[in-house]
Amino acid sequence: MNISKILIIEDDEQINDLIRDTLKKENYDITQCFNGRDALCKSYNDFQLIILDIMLPYVDGIDVLREIRKKSTLPIIILSAKTEECDRITGLTLGADDYMIKPFSPKELTARVKSQLRRYIKYNQNTSSYSCLQHEKLELDTLAHKVFKANRELNLTPKEFELLKLFLENPKQVFTKAQIFSRVWGDDYLKDDNTVMVTIKRLRDKIEDMPKQPKYILTVWGIGYKLGD
């Protein structure tokens, strides 16, 4: 059985140690980092998940997030004392997969870590089989977990992949935000949660020719979203 490796980037030693001790109970392999400068020196291919604070010494967490996303699609959970909606939206827009606010429940953090790892491991399973969903220039391989547009591979995060897969598998269905959240995130939808909207924006930025005039993922005003005809 492979042990998942998790990188904690948090400058508060007590919080960092609390996260470490919490996750070690689940037999995860933990690496601790206490500032943004050291975090940028890590090889992200060594890990399956990152827990990231925003307010870090030397290099702030937002810049660390940007740099990680240039190199890797591994899941990132932001754990921050910043509670403003704009901070959450910024983190999600830049590629974070989840955003938790301090103080946090260790049990909830463990549950979210497990959820992210399940999806990431499934996303990265190697297989020689092939199953294809196609729509215009888009081609999605459901088993190899790859997406191509006009034969060019796109770099999607696991949730972006699952979101696109949901639309391609149900080309005629209009999905509400609550339905999308339940199907892609596997959790109850929070009324004021912007996660769906932000992830759709990220997906559009990657698959659309003109993201502000989308033709693949359409907004159905007052209802939700659907695949373009």
Side-chain angles (χ1 to χ4, degrees), residues 15-50:
I15 295 176
N16 201 316
D17 288 347
L18 172 61
I19 298 170
R20 177 201 63 195
D21 294 343
T22 297
L23 297 179
K24 275 200 167 185
K25 293 177 183 177
E26 304 296 327
N27 295 318
Y28 296 127
D29 184 347
I30 305 298
T31 297
Q32 293 175 278
C33 186
F34 297 92
N35 64 72
R37 184 177 60 197
D38 289 347
L40 293 179
C41 296
K42 299 294 184 183
S43 174
Y44 306 120
N45 291 332
D46 293 339
F47 303 99
Q48 283 76 53
L49 183 138
I50 292 176

Side-chain angles (χ1 to χ4, degrees), residues 6-195:
I6 297 173
L7 174 64
I8 304 169
I9 308 171
E10 164 65 62
D11 65 311
D12 187 305
E13 290 190 20
Q14 288 187 328
I15 295 176
N16 201 316
D17 288 347
L18 172 61
I19 298 170
R20 177 201 63 195
D21 294 343
T22 297
L23 297 179
K24 275 200 167 185
K25 293 177 183 177
E26 304 296 327
N27 295 318
Y28 296 127
D29 184 347
I30 305 298
T31 297
Q32 293 175 278
C33 186
F34 297 92
N35 64 72
R37 184 177 60 197
D38 289 347
L40 293 179
C41 296
K42 299 294 184 183
S43 174
Y44 306 120
N45 291 332
D46 293 339
F47 303 99
Q48 283 76 53
L49 183 138
I50 292 176
I51 296 173
L52 173 67
D53 186 19
I54 293 297
M55 294 181 284
L56 295 169
Y58 307 124
V59 181
D60 71 41
I62 290 299
D63 287 335
V64 172
L65 175 60
R66 286 194 181 100
E67 290 304 310
I68 294 172
R69 278 293 170 253
K70 290 178 182 178
K71 304 172 183 177
S72 175
T73 61
L74 84 170
I76 299 172
I77 299 176
I78 289 179
L79 189 60
S80 176
K82 291 191 172 185
T83 61
E84 296 296 325
E85 183 181 55
C86 62
D87 296 314
R88 179 184 175 90
I89 290 175
T90 297
L92 294 170
T93 299
L94 292 174
D97 296 278
D98 204 349
Y99 193 110
M100 290 186 67
I101 294 172
K102 301 174 184 176
F104 62 95
S105 160
K107 288 184 178 180
E108 181 182 358
L109 176 62
T110 299
R112 294 194 185 205
V113 166
K114 288 181 177 179
S115 177
Q116 294 293 339
L117 286 172
R118 279 197 302 270
R119 292 185 179 89
Y120 184 69
I121 291 169
K122 178 181 177 182
Y123 180 85
N124 286 280
Q125 284 177 336
N126 293 323
T127 176
S128 60
S129 300
Y130 180 77
S131 180
C132 181
L133 295 170
Q134 289 183 308
H135 181 73
E136 296 190 9
K137 296 180 181 179
L138 292 177
E139 182 177 330
L140 184 148
D141 184 338
T142 61
L143 297 177
H145 287 264
K146 293 183 178 181
V147 175
F148 300 86
K149 181 180 178 182
N151 295 319
R152 178 175 63 87
E153 186 172 358
L154 304 180
N155 186 25
L156 302 190
T157 66
K159 282 193 175 60
E160 293 163 0
F161 179 91
E162 292 298 329
L163 182 59
L164 180 59
K165 179 171 174 279
L166 176 66
F167 287 115
L168 293 179
E169 287 180 333
N170 303 275
K172 297 184 182 299
Q173 183 171 347
V174 178
F175 290 95
T176 66
K177 287 184 180 179
Q179 289 172 326
I180 293 171
F181 197 85
S182 176
R183 297 280 288 272
V184 175
W185 280 263
D187 204 349
D188 292 333
Y189 179 71
L190 302 175
K191 185 176 180 181
D192 297 324
D193 195 301
N194 289 289
T195 304

